Amino acid sequence: MRLRSSESRWTLFLQEQKLVVGAGAIAAVFLATGRIDPHRVPEAVNVELLLLLLALILAVELLRESNLLANGVASVVPRFRSARSFTAASVLFTGGLSALVTNDVALFVAVPFTVLAGRVSGLRTRWAVMLQILAANLIGALTPLGNPQNLYVFHESGWSAWRFVATMAPFVAWSLAGILVALPILEPRAAISVPAAPLRRVDRRRLLAGLAVFALILAEILGLLPAWPAAILALAGSALLIRGKIGEIDLFILPLFFFAFLVVEGLRSFDVYRLFEQLPREPDGLSLYVTAILSSQIVSNVPATVLLAPLAGIRWSLLLYAVNAGGCGTMVASMANLIGWRLYVRETGGDPAFLRDFTILQTAFLAWTAVGGWAIWRLLA
C-alpha cells in the first residue's frame, strides 16, 4: 500500500511538472555529453532574473498570507448581481493583478475564490475561469512583471519600464477588446446572489514584509537596485513569518527557467541558430514572428522566448507580441494555462468538458492575438 502511494505521488508529480522534468532531462543530457561546459553554467544562467522571480513569488505569498488580497476580493465581488457582471469583475481583477504580480501567482488568488463564490451562489464558473486565464496571459502582459517571458525580455532589452508598458499597451488593448467581445457570448445575464464573505484579520507583519519586498522588486525594475536585496528579504521574511507554508509554495517556474537557460546553451553547440540566421535580416520579420508563436505551442512561451531572444536583434516588440500571443492555443503554450486548469480541477473535482472548450476558446484567441499583434507591429514599426 505504501509503495502504491509513493508511486501515485511520483506519477502526479511527473504529470504536473512535466515541462520542468523534460527541460531538466534535456539539460542533464547536454551536460553529460559535453554539449554544455560546466564552467559556462554561471554565464549561461541569468541569476539576476531567477532572484527577482524568487522574490516576487515569496512577496505575493506573504501578501496572500496577510489576508490583504483575500479581503480585497471579498469586499468587491459581492457587489455584483449577475453572472455576467461577476465574471467581468473577476476577469478584470485577474488581468490587473497579473500585471502587478505575474499571471501565474494571480491565478492562485483568483481561481480558488471564483470557484468558491460559484459554489455558494450557484454560478457555473467554468467560463469565468477560462476568461480569467486568458486575462492573466493577455492583460497581465502590459508590464514587465506580468509574466516571466516579459520579465526576461525586459532584462535583455535594456528598456525602461515606461517604454515597455507603452510598447505593450496596443497589444493588450486589442486582447482586452477580444475578451470583452467573448464575455457576453459565453456568460449569460442570469441573476446570482453572492453572499458577503467575512473579512479576515490582516496580519500586519506579513503585510509589511510583503510590501517591503515588493518595493525592492520595483526598485530593481527601475534600475535602482540589484535583485539580491529583494531575494534575501523575501527569504528571511518567509522563513520567519510563513515558515509552515513554505513547502506549499509552487516555485516550479524557477527550475524551469534555470533548465531553459541550459537547454539554450546546449542548443548553441549544434549551431541551431544557423537554421534561423535569415530571420533577423527579413524586412518584415514574419518568419521570426511565426516561429515564436509555433514554438510556444510546443515548448511553452517561456522557453521559446529564451531560445529565440538572440534572433530578435532590436525587434524586441515583435518577439514580445509573438510569445504573448503564443501563450494562447495549446494547454502547454503558457504556464498560466496549466496552473489555471490545475487549480480549477482541484477546486471543482473535475469537469470533463473544460479541457475541450478551453482549447477551442484558446485557439480562437490565438488567431485573434496573432493577427492583431502582427498588424500592430507592422503599423508601429
Side-chain angles (χ1 to χ4, degrees), residues 242-264:
I242 55 172
R243 182 169 48 192
K245 297 282 186 177
I246 290 180
E248 301 175 12
I249 301 175
D250 199 337
L251 297 171
F252 77 97
I253 195 67
L254 299 178
L256 177 63
F257 254 108
F258 178 82
F259 293 138
F261 288 131
L262 296 184
V263 169
V264 170

Side-chain angles (χ1 to χ4, degrees), residues 149-222:
Q149 67 268 16
N150 277 15
L151 199 55
Y152 176 78
V153 170
F154 176 74
H155 272 266
E156 293 295 311
S157 66
W159 286 358
S160 69
W162 316 117
R163 180 180 178 182
F164 191 100
V165 171
T167 298
M168 293 305 299
F171 177 85
V172 171
W174 176 262
S175 302
L176 177 59
I179 292 174
L180 294 178
V181 169
L183 180 63
I185 297 174
L186 300 176
E187 200 65 84
R189 285 183 173 176
I192 61 171
S193 176
V194 183
L199 298 181
R200 304 174 184 177
R201 184 183 66 84
V202 174
D203 187 310
R204 293 185 179 181
R205 294 187 304 165
R206 293 172 177 174
L207 173 60
L208 291 175
L211 292 176
V213 174
F214 203 74
L216 292 177
I217 292 171
L218 291 179
E220 197 279 345
I221 292 295
L222 296 174

Side-chain angles (χ1 to χ4, degrees), residues 10-139:
W10 274 106
T11 301
L12 179 62
F13 174 81
L14 291 174
Q15 289 175 344
E16 293 183 344
Q17 309 294 347
K18 55 187 176 183
L19 283 177
V20 176
V21 173
I26 295 172
V29 170
F30 283 163
L31 281 167
T33 56
R35 289 291 176 180
I36 301 176
D37 183 350
H39 296 95
R40 285 191 50 80
V41 170
E43 299 176 19
V45 175
N46 189 330
V47 177
E48 185 82 0
L49 179 61
L50 295 180
L51 289 175
L52 196 63
L53 285 172
L54 173 64
L56 181 61
I57 294 171
L58 294 180
V60 172
E61 197 63 28
L62 284 164
L63 293 176
R64 283 183 60 195
E65 291 299 321
S66 75
N67 293 323
L68 176 69
L69 298 179
N71 284 351
V73 176
S75 299
V76 172
V77 176
R79 301 175 184 271
F80 298 91
R81 298 301 178 208
S82 73
R84 187 175 297 174
S85 63
F86 173 83
T87 297
S90 67
V91 167
L92 293 176
F93 170 81
T94 304
L97 186 61
S98 297
L100 297 175
V101 298
T102 79
N103 51 9
D104 300 337
V105 294
L107 290 172
F108 279 106
V109 175
V111 173
F113 178 86
T114 300
V115 173
L116 176 61
R119 193 175 297 138
V120 299
S121 66
L123 169 69
R124 192 180 184 189
T125 56
R126 59 199 311 270
W127 294 117
V129 171
M130 292 180 197
L131 290 172
Q132 282 178 331
I133 297 171
L134 282 169
N137 277 325
L138 298 173
I139 300 177

Side-chain angles (χ1 to χ4, degrees), residues 359-376:
T359 302
I360 294 172
L361 182 64
Q362 284 274 329
T363 302
F365 269 86
L366 174 61
W368 174 266
T369 54
V371 172
W374 175 251
I376 292 168

Side-chain angles (χ1 to χ4, degrees), residues 300-344:
S300 180
N301 54 5
V302 172
T305 303
V306 177
L307 178 63
L308 296 175
L311 303 175
I314 61 173
R315 297 173 176 174
W316 291 112
S317 58
L318 179 68
L319 182 61
L320 279 169
Y321 292 170
V323 294
N324 279 289
C328 303
T330 64
M331 183 62 75
V332 300
S334 167
M335 294 295 99
N337 295 347
L338 291 169
I339 289 173
W341 172 63
R342 187 169 64 186
L343 287 171
Y344 180 78

